[in-house]
Amino acid sequence: MNQPVLIVDDDADVCASLKNYLESINYPTFVANNISKGRTLLAQERIRAILLDLNLPDGSGLNWISEIKEEWPQVAILVITGQGDVPTAVHAMRRGADHFATKPIDIDDLTIILEKCLEIGSLRRATGLQARHKTKESPFFGKSAALAPVIEEARLAAASEAPTLLQGETGSGKTLIARWIHEQSARRNGPFIEINCGGLRGEMLASELFGHARGAFTGAVDKKQGLVEIADEGTLFLDEIGDMDPEVQSHLLKVLETKSFRRLGEVRDRRSDFRLICATNRDLQQEVTRGKFRQDLFFRIAVLTVSVPALRNCLSDLPDLCYHILKSMSRTIVISQEAVERLQSYQWPGNVRELRNVIERAVLLCGSGPILPKHLPFDTPGMIKEDNSVEDEIRQKEADHIAEVIARCKGDVGEAAKILGLSRATLYRRLSAAKRK
């Protein structure tokens, strides 16, 4: 069963009775006699349900419900109190309680109610995961000799809990492989949380990873969960980890060593059980030699490695890859042999990402098909048009607008992403691209 339950009640006899019963039916159970201790246990343990009394020595359990729903939204709340009046029940439910019962409660009823509450919590987590995974694409594992080791290394990583480092050029498909590893692993039912470390610096990146307390820094107008916390029981994917600031590298190393972290501006330790996958387009061993990346952190994140080859080294797989991309777009358009040969004559510095852009453009130009050489953005075989002045100007204007929105949101990237209508991952990628420009 392994769904930890927290009892928050100042009556020692009630706590002892409930704890003994819950542990007898295989619920790991923790006890707190006040709100303060309850907060600490919620931060440190993966609590799935709370049995909450409303009259506590250091505050009102009724008022605490709102904080629980904000900080730990997937935790089910069962209010058990001697105050069995209807108005109290209504207030508790309005603030987010999942069920309300009065003392003394029948043990058989408690079992049924608790199971229902835990089921509600599981549904909340599943709904959150479905929203995150609404659009996903499977990686393409071809038949070329260059890709054979990738398949073997990825399968080994999926069968393991060890930190894994994906190495390869920009656009080679590292993010898709990271997601595939997660979906084939024992943590497939947990969240897959990704962040591009190249798009954020210093305090802003630390805030995204570890969260912050209200007033922790200028612009921190409210408390915030970090991605490390959100990734509990799932996978945290750090893209372009080679761009991470040294100070944040130190914080991450401590989290990996102690399995605990603190939000910026807090002194309370929190725990998160996540699997780490990282990706980089840099030679991290060379970065270690140059003093740009911590050696101890490198050893921590590279227990397993997956080397993703460049597309130019797998050109024999290109025809099948093109059809894989078309299938992911739900298109049944045919590519002519002449167009395939033209595509195979190009070296693809932008790898699979660039190929996808070329295919998407060709689909728009060819109508119902087939895709012909004239639908490809090539002047001559092996050459793509270099007149990108208009595109560069558009990208610069977009980058300026993104920076303006982030500044307006006082550095809150999540809020900026909502205003811009982008996912966080997309916003990070665009910030990273603007930085490279």
Side-chain angles (χ1 to χ4, degrees):
M1 195 171 288
N2 195 25
Q3 299 199 73
V5 176
L6 171 63
I7 302 167
V8 184
D9 197 316
D10 60 343
D11 188 323
D13 292 334
V14 169
C15 288
S17 176
L18 289 174
K19 179 178 170 65
N20 289 338
Y21 173 70
L22 291 173
E23 289 185 339
S24 74
I25 56 174
N26 298 322
Y27 286 107
T29 305
F30 299 87
V31 172
N33 58 8
N34 55 46
I35 291 174
S36 178
K37 187 176 180 182
R39 283 196 188 102
T40 300
L41 287 169
L42 278 169
Q44 293 177 347
E45 307 295 339
R46 294 193 304 280
I47 302 298
R48 289 292 174 251
I50 302 176
L51 307 186
L52 177 64
D53 184 28
L54 296 185
N55 294 315
L56 296 164
D58 56 348
S60 166
L62 189 63
N63 294 334
W64 191 37
I65 290 174
S66 299
E67 179 186 332
I68 295 170
K69 300 309 294 183
E70 182 181 350
E71 289 262 349
W72 301 278
Q74 284 133 5
V75 174
I77 302 173
L78 170 57
V79 170
I80 301 178
T81 182
Q83 295 181 344
D85 59 292
V86 174
T88 302
V90 171
H91 282 307
M93 301 296 281
R94 281 179 178 171
R95 297 196 179 199
D98 297 296
H99 208 284
F100 184 94
T102 58
K103 300 176 184 176
I105 187 170
D106 183 88
I107 289 298
D108 292 332
D109 289 344
L110 174 63
T111 305
I112 295 170
I113 294 170
L114 183 57
E115 286 176 355
K116 292 290 185 185
C117 287
L118 288 168
E119 185 178 345
I120 290 170
S122 297
L123 286 172
R124 286 197 194 107
R125 288 191 293 278
T127 301
L129 291 175
Q130 287 170 2
R132 289 191 188 104
H133 298 171
K134 191 179 293 182
T135 56
K136 59 185 179 183
E137 178 184 346
S138 298
F140 171 79
F141 292 122
K143 301 174 184 177
S144 65
L147 281 170
V150 178
I151 301 170
E152 186 60 34
E153 290 166 357
R155 285 175 177 161
L156 180 63
S160 171
E161 286 279 292
T164 301
L165 177 65
L166 308 180
Q167 303 172 99
E169 295 181 6
T170 297
S172 57
K174 298 186 294 294
T175 299
L176 284 178
I177 293 174
R179 186 181 288 279
W180 183 88
I181 290 171
H182 166 75
E183 290 171 353
Q184 305 304 311
S185 74
R187 293 177 179 263
R188 65 179 68 89
N189 294 323
F192 177 82
I193 305 298
E194 61 178 296
I195 181 172
N196 189 313
C197 302
L200 297 169
R201 290 293 178 195
E203 197 172 69
M204 190 177 288
L205 177 57
S207 171
E208 286 297 304
L209 285 174
F210 310 118
H212 62 249
R214 181 177 180 179
F217 53 85
T218 303
V221 295
D222 207 350
K223 58 189 173 185
K224 174 184 174 182
Q225 272 189 315
L227 299 183
V228 165
E229 192 170 352
I230 296 171
D232 184 37
E233 296 190 337
T235 300
L236 178 65
F237 175 51
L238 303 182
D239 198 8
E240 304 303 351
I241 192 171
D243 293 340
M244 183 179 283
D245 286 347
E247 184 178 352
V248 184
Q249 289 180 33
S250 299
H251 290 169
L252 178 61
L253 178 64
K254 185 176 180 181
V255 171
L256 297 178
E257 288 177 338
T258 64
K259 305 299 182 184
S260 64
F261 67 97
R262 292 179 181 177
R263 292 181 182 177
L264 301 187
E266 279 191 351
V267 296
R268 184 174 67 202
D269 287 333
R270 297 171 180 266
R271 300 190 68 82
S272 180
D273 172 27
F274 63 91
R275 193 262 178 93
L276 182 67
I277 301 178
C278 302
T280 183
N281 59 8
R282 301 188 181 194
D283 183 338
L284 286 191
Q285 289 181 312
Q286 190 176 76
E287 294 293 291
V288 168
T289 303
R290 294 171 55 201
K292 299 289 187 180
F293 198 84
R294 292 182 64 115
Q295 185 179 54
D296 44 8
L297 180 59
F298 174 72
F299 290 144
R300 281 279 182 180
I301 67 173
V303 177
L304 294 175
T305 59
V306 179
S307 298
V308 184
L311 180 55
R312 61 182 171 275
N313 297 326
C314 314
L315 291 176
S316 63
D317 283 321
L318 192 138
D320 289 338
L321 178 55
C322 289
Y323 283 109
H324 175 80
I325 291 171
L326 287 168
K327 184 179 178 182
S328 73
M329 297 165 60
S330 301
R331 304 303 293 262
T332 55
I333 294 171
V334 175
I335 305 178
S336 71
Q337 183 59 37
E338 293 81 2
V340 169
E341 291 172 359
R342 182 68 64 87
L343 292 170
Q344 286 181 311
S345 70
Y346 182 58
Q347 291 300 298
W348 300 105
N351 293 292
V352 179
R353 186 178 297 150
E354 184 181 7
L355 174 62
R356 169 174 276 278
N357 289 340
V358 168
I359 296 295
E360 288 176 350
R361 177 184 183 275
V363 166
L364 292 173
L365 293 175
C366 77
S368 58
I371 294 175
L372 303 172
K374 67 179 182 180
H375 300 131
L376 304 176
F378 299 98
D379 283 329
T380 58
M383 293 284 291
I384 277 190
K385 295 180 180 179
E386 295 295 333
D387 184 10
N388 293 322
S389 57
V390 175
E391 287 87 347
D392 288 345
E393 184 178 350
I394 292 172
R395 288 193 193 99
Q396 186 57 53
K397 287 183 181 296
E398 179 186 58
D400 293 342
H401 179 58
I402 288 173
E404 180 184 340
V405 172
I406 291 176
R408 206 161 63 229
C409 295
K410 296 182 169 49
D412 188 331
V413 176
E415 184 63 26
K418 288 180 185 177
I419 292 172
L420 292 164
L422 303 173
S423 68
R424 281 192 180 190
T426 299
L427 183 54
Y428 292 139
R429 280 195 291 270
R430 293 189 183 179
L431 285 168
S432 183
K435 178 189 162 200
R436 288 195 296 271
K437 289 288 180 184

